[in-house]
């Protein structure tokens, strides 16, 4: 089976969570998508880079979600989500996926 990079899982969780919340008008459903992808990415991070790296990347994931809200006021919602998703994906690749 092909291995899905954790960078893709994390970025998809941020983008997908926002998209689901926006299109369904149910923030809780978007939050469930965000949480499920974050948990899946955290498992991959722990396996590939260890517990400390997984903790740091998980904190970055949560900070990206939180940071996208004030950023959206300045640049718009989709650009903010895309920007933070890209930042988390880059960090994930650098810390966990690049080694594999």
């Amino acid at each position: 089976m092909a291995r899905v990079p954790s960078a893709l899982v994390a970025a998809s969780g941020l983008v997908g969570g926002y998209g689901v919340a926006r299109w369904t008008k149910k923030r809780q459903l978007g939050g469930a998508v965000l949480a499920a992808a974050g948990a899946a990415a955290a498992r991959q991070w722990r396996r590939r880079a260890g517990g400390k790296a997984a903790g740091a990347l998980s904190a970055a994931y949560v900070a990206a979600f939180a940071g996208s809200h004030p950023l959206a006021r300045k640049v718009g919602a989709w650009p903010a989500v895309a920007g933070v998703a890209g930042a988390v994906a880059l960090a994930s690749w650098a810390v966990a996926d690049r080694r594999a």
Side-chain angles (χ1 to χ4, degrees):
M1 181 162 75
R3 197 183 76 152
V4 177
S6 61
L8 180 61
V9 174
S12 296
L14 289 162
V15 172
Y18 174 69
V20 166
R22 180 175 177 129
W23 291 317
T24 65
K25 309 252 190 281
K26 298 191 185 315
R27 293 179 66 170
Q28 299 87 348
L29 192 54
V33 170
L34 179 82
R43 273 193 305 276
Q44 288 181 311
W45 293 329
R46 180 179 301 278
R47 228 182 353 225
R48 294 179 188 163
K52 282 187 179 182
L57 288 168
S58 295
Y61 185 80
V62 172
F65 166 70
S68 68
H69 292 81
L71 183 60
R73 289 188 205 108
K74 296 184 186 309
V75 299
W78 279 113
V81 171
V84 299
V88 168
L90 181 61
S92 180
W93 174 82
V95 173
D97 294 335
R98 180 175 50 137
R99 296 178 183 183

